[in-house]
Amino acid sequence: MSTPVPPSSLSSLRRQLSGFDHALRTAQQLRRATGVPHYVVHGVAPLQAFRVTMRPPAWPDRWLAMVA
């Protein structure tokens, strides 16, 4: 198992790309393109701190935003 990467050790671009704002913008773009609601959820991996998905998360505590 790999050791977790602390966010402070990431490059500024990697921090920006793995941030909530980027995930929300991505979800908004996908919603406009597909017409399907998208969700921003907490990821598990440090390099994927936030994820965008079309399915509601199985764990409600990971659900951060819904773009409908």
Side-chain angles (χ1 to χ4, degrees):
M1 180 182 275
S2 64
T3 59
V5 178
S8 60
S9 69
L10 300 175
S11 71
S12 61
L13 180 58
R14 174 64 75 175
R15 261 193 314 275
Q16 180 183 357
L17 291 175
S18 65
F20 175 78
D21 292 336
H22 186 262
L24 184 60
R25 283 192 306 272
T26 301
Q28 290 168 338
Q29 290 172 355
L30 289 169
R31 170 65 172 113
R32 281 192 296 272
T34 64
V36 177
H38 282 73
Y39 301 86
V40 177
V41 297
H42 261 288
V44 179
L47 293 179
Q48 192 178 20
F50 302 99
R51 291 183 43 234
V52 175
T53 180
M54 291 182 353
R55 292 188 215 166
W59 299 290
D61 60 328
R62 291 183 185 251
W63 184 345
L64 299 175
M66 177 180 145
V67 179

